[in-house]
Amino acid sequence: MEVIFASQYQHYPLFRESDSICNEPDEAPRDLKYAKFRERWECISKDSSEMLFDELSPRLVLSGHTHHGCHVQHNISEGRTVHEYTVPSFSWRNKRNPTFLMATLSPNNYAIYKCHMPSEYTVMAMYFMSFVFLMLWLLNRKFRSQGLLYIKVSKHLD
């Protein structure tokens, strides 16, 4: 029987006490990082998590819901480890540094890439600078067409 790479995708993260074990650039802020999760509310219950491990035997779990990034290694029986990546919110409304994951999955392996969005301030500054340059370019064209920046010479030099 051929072993197939099993990955699990779900909205709620698997059971964990809190985000205190998370050490990612997009992790929860300090005041939220150590707040205890409520089972069946902010994460799946411990019993349900164990049942999912037993029934599905995933090698990779991708989850969300917490609005903050996290990478957790769940130690399961027989020394087996399952990696869980919690995908953060992809909105500046919920997170100052939104990120998204890109994954490459194969039957035997996987690779996870975390991609960071520019900060909202950077995007707004780029919009503002683009607007200023556009206005300067339009004013330059208008003044050139009216002959204010140069005088057109109609003589031909031989």
Side-chain angles (χ1 to χ4, degrees), residues 43-59:
C43 65
I44 293 176
S45 70
K46 189 171 188 173
D47 293 337
S48 296
S49 295
E50 289 173 1
M51 187 267 307
L52 287 169
F53 287 139
D54 291 341
E55 296 295 322
L56 300 177
S57 299
R59 291 176 42 199

